[in-house]
């Protein structure tokens, strides 16, 4: 840890020498606002690792000229020293600490060797303890024109993650700056609040879960920025610094989790990608608990988790956009802009870039743009869902209509089949009655010659071509392709054989066939046995008909389709 700190200090020192960093220690104050970047070359520092140094002891220490940009690995107190002379027309000046997360900050002002001002503030004290009721810690100091002053700041706390960003401003200029910053903050708060309400209300009306997650995510972002600007402490919980100190990481983690849920729903993320994002969400979920033990570990978990999350979003939306996902095309620029804002925020906090209005508000601006684009994406996604819902309804109606038409066609086919069955049954009944009369006459006569003539008449009637053709037409209308399939498998079948198979197909019993053909039951049985031997099959005639019937059903299904 010490080696890393020394290497960092060495880098800063070399950088300062190469860029002409060193200047005179005395700051000659003019009629203007001095941002932190303006004071970097004037400030000196001393590190108090034991956190035990008093102001009297600090006066005796040798301060270093080059202030390190990053003290993230440092856990002690830091003293800052600034020598100045008021050469301006103003006597009322404000020394502003641009709201880093500091547990405590003390200010000491010396004129010559006399202590003329001393004040203590910070996030571990109630808001009423602040010298000026502003979100930033502000020390109002009266500086006489032409006199020399030495100002000391002592910053302490586990939560300080970068060098203390001190700015100096005449009171009138500071008021204008505060008004501008407050106006900017108020507009941003309003945009975030409206976006959050829009997401929550749209969920109540649409029940789309991505809208709910979006609304909660934006609300968490709003709370995070309220903590970063100090307004949450100022206006909502001025007497509860302990709760306030827990909010930044809690809001960051909550926002990250609901952002992941939002991305999952709106982009329909599943599989390994979702497992990866769920792991990030779990890490961020633990961060608020971990901060109770170690703020810095929790900060690392929440910060890195958020950075990896937004980079993952960029990759995911880029991939989905290339596949034509309309929603991803809206989300891609939103998250790219947000990633730039996160990068500015982290580089500012770790001292890689100077602290100014743009870098201080870069994440704020990027988030506002992101939220506005996400609002458009939420609206577009809802329209897509509505369109898909309408298409699904139309498809369901079309399917219902098709089923209804199919049912009507089947009903019509059933009725046609019943009509054909009745026609076939009527034909058979007429034939049966005619044959029955001939058989009755044959049985009633005892004259051999007449009996033989009647039998020949019966046989002739059964073998008439017209009779068979008429029967065949009616039968095939009811059972198409039956005879064709039968003759294809058994080409040796005669007309009588085909007729016998037709009777079996019609489920006629032996006795019924006997009555229809005018022969005895025994003769029908013998005919069946001869037919089975003729075919050379182990199957019964009924099984052969069943096989042919399967072909008949398949044929009907194909024709129906």
């Amino acid at each position: 840890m010490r080696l890393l700190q020394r290497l960092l200090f060495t880098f800063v020192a070399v950088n300062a020498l190469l860029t002409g960093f060193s200047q005179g220690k005395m700051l000659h104050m003019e009629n203007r606002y001095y941002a932190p970047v303006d004071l970097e070359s004037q400030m000196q520092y001393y590190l108090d690792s034991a956190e035990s140094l008093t102001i009297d002891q600090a006066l005796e220490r040798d301060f270093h000229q080059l202030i390190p940009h990053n003290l993230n690995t440092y856990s002690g107190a830091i003293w800052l020293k600034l020598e100045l002379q008021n050469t301006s027309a103003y006597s009322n000046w404000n020394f502003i600490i641009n709201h880093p997360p500091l547990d405590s900050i003390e200010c000491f002002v010396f004129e010559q060797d006399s202590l003329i001002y001393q004040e203590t503030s910070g996030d571990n004290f109630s808001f009423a303890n602040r010298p000026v009721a502003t979100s930033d810690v502000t020390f109002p100091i009266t500086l006489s024109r032409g006199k020399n002053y030495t100002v000391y700041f002592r910053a302490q706390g586990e939560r300080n993650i970068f060098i203390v960003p001190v700015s100096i401003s005449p009171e009138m200029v500071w008021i204008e700056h505060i008004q501008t910053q407050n106006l900017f903050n108020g507009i941003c708060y309003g945009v975030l609040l409206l976006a959050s309400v829009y997401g929550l209300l749209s969920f109540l009306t649409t029940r789309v879960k991505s809208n709910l997650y979006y609304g909660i995510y934006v609300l968490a972002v709003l709370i995070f920025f309220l903590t970063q600007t100090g307004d949450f402490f100022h206006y909502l919980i001025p007497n509860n610094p302990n709760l306030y100190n827990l909010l930044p990481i809690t809001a960051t983690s909550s926002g990250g989790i609901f952002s992941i849920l939002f991305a999952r729903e709106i982009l329909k993320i599943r599989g390994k990608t979702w497992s990866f994002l769920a792991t990030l969400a779990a890490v961020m979920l633990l961060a608020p608990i971990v901060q109770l033990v170690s703020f810095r570990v929790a900060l690392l978990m929440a910060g890195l988790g958020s950075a990896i999350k937004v980079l993952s979003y960029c990759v995911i939306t880029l991939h989905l956009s290339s596949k034509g996902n309309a929603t991803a095309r809206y989300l891609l620029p939103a998250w790219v802009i947000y990633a730039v804002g996160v990068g500015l925020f982290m580089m500012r906090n770790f001292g890689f870039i100077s602290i100014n209005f743009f870098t201080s508000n870069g994440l704020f601006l990027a988030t506002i743009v992101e939220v506005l684009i996400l609002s458009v994406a939420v609206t577009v996604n809802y329209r897509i869902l509505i369109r898909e819902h309408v298409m699904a309804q139309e498809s369901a109606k079309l399917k219902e209509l098709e089923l209804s038409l199919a049912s009507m066609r089947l009903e019509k086919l059933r009725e046609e089949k019943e009509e054909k069955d009745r026609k076939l049954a009527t034909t058979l009944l007429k034939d049966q009655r005619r044959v029955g009369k001939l058989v009755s006459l044959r049985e009633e006569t005892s004259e051999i010659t007449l009996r033989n003539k009647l039998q020949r008449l019966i046989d002739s009637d059964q073998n008439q071509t017209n009779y068979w053709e008429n029967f065949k037409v009616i039968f095939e209308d009811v059972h198409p392709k039956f005879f064709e399939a039968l003759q294809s498998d058994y080409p040796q079948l005669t007309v009588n054989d085909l007729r016998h198979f037709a009777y079996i197909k019609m489920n006629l019993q032996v006795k019924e066939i006997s009555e229809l053909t005018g022969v005895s039951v025994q003769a029908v049985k013998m005919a069946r046995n001869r037919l089975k031997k003729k075919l050379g099959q182990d199957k019964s005639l009924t099984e052969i008909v069943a096989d042919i019937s399967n072909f008949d059903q398949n044929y009907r299904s194909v024709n129906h389709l």
Side-chain angles (χ1 to χ4, degrees):
M1 190 69 72
R2 291 181 179 274
L3 177 61
L4 178 61
Q5 188 172 333
R6 290 175 181 175
L7 288 174
L8 184 59
F9 289 173
T10 303
F11 169 77
V12 174
V14 172
N15 180 65
L17 290 173
L18 292 176
T19 57
F21 194 94
S22 61
Q23 300 177 14
K25 293 183 179 180
M26 182 68 69
L27 172 65
H28 297 277
M29 300 170 63
E30 300 175 354
N31 302 337
R32 71 183 183 90
Y33 171 82
Y34 291 86
V37 66
D38 299 321
L39 301 178
E40 285 182 349
S41 61
Q42 310 296 335
M43 303 283 283
Q44 303 174 62
Y45 80 97
Y46 182 85
L47 298 180
D48 176 19
S49 58
E51 301 181 354
S52 60
L53 204 64
T54 64
I55 182 61
D56 293 331
Q57 293 171 330
L59 294 174
E60 299 174 357
R61 295 295 191 271
D62 293 328
F63 279 65
H64 305 284
Q65 180 65 33
L66 301 175
I67 299 179
H69 281 62
N70 183 283
L71 292 173
N72 193 49
T73 58
Y74 181 66
S75 59
I78 180 172
W79 287 81
L80 301 177
K81 178 181 178 181
L82 177 64
E83 296 179 349
L84 53 86
Q85 183 183 63
N86 185 12
T87 58
S88 72
Y90 298 103
S91 59
N92 295 326
W93 287 79
N94 287 335
F95 288 68
I96 307 108
I97 314 300
N98 298 109
H99 200 76
L102 295 172
D103 292 344
S104 68
I105 179 78
E106 297 178 74
C107 178
F108 305 89
V109 180
F110 288 86
E111 181 184 340
Q112 300 298 333
D113 294 330
S114 300
L115 180 64
I116 64 171
Y117 181 89
Q118 179 179 357
E119 194 66 68
T120 302
S121 187
D123 291 341
N124 277 0
F125 303 91
S126 66
F127 196 84
N129 179 262
R130 297 198 173 188
V132 180
T134 60
S135 301
D136 295 330
V137 177
T138 303
F139 299 106
I141 302 173
T142 300
L143 302 175
S144 299
R145 183 175 182 182
K147 292 188 177 182
N148 297 340
Y149 299 90
T150 304
V151 182
Y152 291 87
F153 295 97
R154 180 183 184 275
Q156 179 182 350
E158 183 190 12
R159 301 188 318 120
N160 55 299
I161 58 174
F162 50 84
I163 196 65
V164 183
V166 180
S167 60
I168 305 176
S169 174
E171 186 176 49
M172 295 301 297
V173 178
W174 171 79
I175 291 174
E176 294 177 0
H177 173 77
I178 287 295
Q179 290 174 342
T180 302
Q181 185 67 52
N182 287 344
L183 177 61
F184 173 78
N185 291 350
I187 293 173
C188 294
Y189 296 156
V191 171
L192 291 175
L193 182 60
L194 287 175
S196 177
V197 171
Y198 169 72
L200 296 175
L201 289 180
S202 61
F203 167 72
L204 293 177
T205 55
T206 64
R207 297 298 175 181
V208 177
K209 287 193 289 186
S210 60
N211 294 3
L212 172 64
Y213 298 144
Y214 167 74
I216 299 176
Y217 161 66
V218 177
L219 182 61
V221 170
L222 174 59
I223 295 173
F224 171 75
F225 280 117
L226 283 168
T227 63
Q228 290 302 294
T229 60
D231 287 330
F232 201 98
F233 192 25
H234 184 181
Y235 296 106
L236 299 178
I237 50 172
N239 298 315
N240 198 337
N242 292 330
L243 175 60
Y244 170 69
N245 291 335
L246 296 175
L247 283 176
I249 287 181
T250 303
T252 300
S253 299
S254 300
I257 292 169
F258 282 100
S259 172
I260 289 173
L261 292 173
F262 166 73
R264 179 182 186 271
E265 288 298 322
I266 199 167
L267 294 176
K268 298 178 176 60
I269 298 174
R270 301 293 185 270
K272 294 182 179 179
T273 304
W274 166 240
S275 298
F276 172 73
L277 292 178
T279 302
L280 283 181
V283 171
M284 286 188 281
L285 181 63
L286 292 174
I289 302 173
V290 173
Q291 72 173 325
L292 299 175
V293 179
S294 173
F295 175 83
R296 298 189 180 206
V297 173
L299 179 66
L300 183 65
M301 293 170 64
L304 285 182
S306 297
I308 295 172
K309 175 203 70 177
V310 69
L311 291 177
S312 301
Y313 286 172
C314 293
V315 174
I316 293 169
T317 50
L318 180 62
H319 173 69
L320 293 177
S321 296
S322 65
K323 290 190 171 184
N325 188 306
T327 305
R329 290 174 181 171
Y330 284 92
L331 297 178
L332 177 58
W335 282 329
V336 168
I337 293 171
Y338 181 68
V340 172
V342 171
L344 281 175
F345 182 75
M346 295 183 69
M347 287 190 290
R348 167 192 179 272
N349 286 358
F350 286 97
F352 295 113
I353 56 178
S354 299
I355 298 172
N356 52 45
F357 179 84
F358 180 73
T359 57
S360 296
N361 295 285
L363 180 58
F364 217 156
L365 289 168
T367 303
I368 292 300
V369 175
E370 178 217 13
V371 166
L372 291 175
I373 297 177
L374 290 185
S375 297
V376 176
V378 166
T379 304
V380 170
N381 182 64
Y382 177 65
R383 289 179 179 175
I384 291 174
L385 292 176
I386 290 295
R387 186 166 62 249
E388 290 177 349
H389 179 68
V390 171
M391 292 176 63
Q393 284 185 325
E394 291 178 350
S395 178
K397 289 181 180 178
L398 182 60
K399 188 174 181 179
E400 184 179 353
L401 179 60
E402 290 176 349
L403 290 174
S404 178
L405 292 174
S407 178
M408 292 173 62
R409 285 195 296 268
L410 289 175
E411 180 64 20
K412 185 177 180 180
L413 289 174
R414 186 184 64 79
E415 291 176 355
E416 290 177 353
K417 184 177 182 301
E418 289 180 353
E419 178 63 27
K420 292 172 183 178
D421 286 341
R422 283 194 296 270
K423 186 183 293 186
L424 181 61
T426 301
T427 302
L428 291 176
L429 182 60
K430 290 179 179 179
D431 294 342
Q432 183 178 7
R433 287 175 178 174
R434 184 172 61 253
V435 173
K437 289 181 180 180
L438 294 175
V439 171
S440 297
L441 290 174
R442 184 194 64 186
E443 296 300 326
E444 290 175 359
T445 182
S446 57
E447 187 177 340
I448 298 301
T449 303
L450 182 57
R451 286 174 63 91
N452 291 337
K453 286 182 180 182
L454 289 174
Q455 184 59 50
R456 286 195 297 270
L457 184 59
I458 293 171
D459 293 339
S460 174
D461 186 71
Q462 290 290 315
N463 293 322
Q464 279 182 10
T465 301
N466 290 339
Y467 167 80
W468 168 245
E469 291 300 330
N470 290 337
F471 175 82
K472 186 177 180 183
V473 168
I474 297 173
F475 182 87
E476 286 194 326
D477 198 23
V478 180
H479 306 288
K481 301 295 181 179
F482 178 79
F483 290 132
E484 182 180 330
L486 195 60
Q487 288 180 307
S488 176
D489 292 341
Y490 309 103
Q492 69 271 33
L493 294 177
T494 64
V495 171
N496 286 332
D497 296 336
L498 294 175
R499 183 185 294 116
H500 202 99
F501 272 115
Y503 294 153
I504 295 174
K505 174 65 178 173
M506 294 169 63
N507 294 321
L508 297 182
Q509 302 300 317
V510 173
K511 183 178 180 182
E512 293 172 319
I513 296 174
S514 170
E515 293 174 353
L516 184 62
T517 57
V519 297
S520 65
V521 171
Q522 187 62 29
V524 173
K525 291 181 178 179
M526 292 176 62
R528 284 194 170 194
N529 291 331
R530 287 195 300 270
L531 182 55
K532 184 177 179 182
K533 291 179 181 180
K534 182 178 182 179
L535 299 178
Q537 287 284 343
D538 294 331
K539 298 180 181 179
S540 67
L541 298 181
T542 303
E543 290 174 334
I544 293 174
V545 169
D547 293 340
I548 301 300
S549 297
N550 292 333
F551 171 83
D552 179 31
Q553 291 176 359
N554 293 334
Y555 172 81
R556 286 174 177 271
S557 299
V558 171
N559 281 346
H560 177 66
L561 295 174

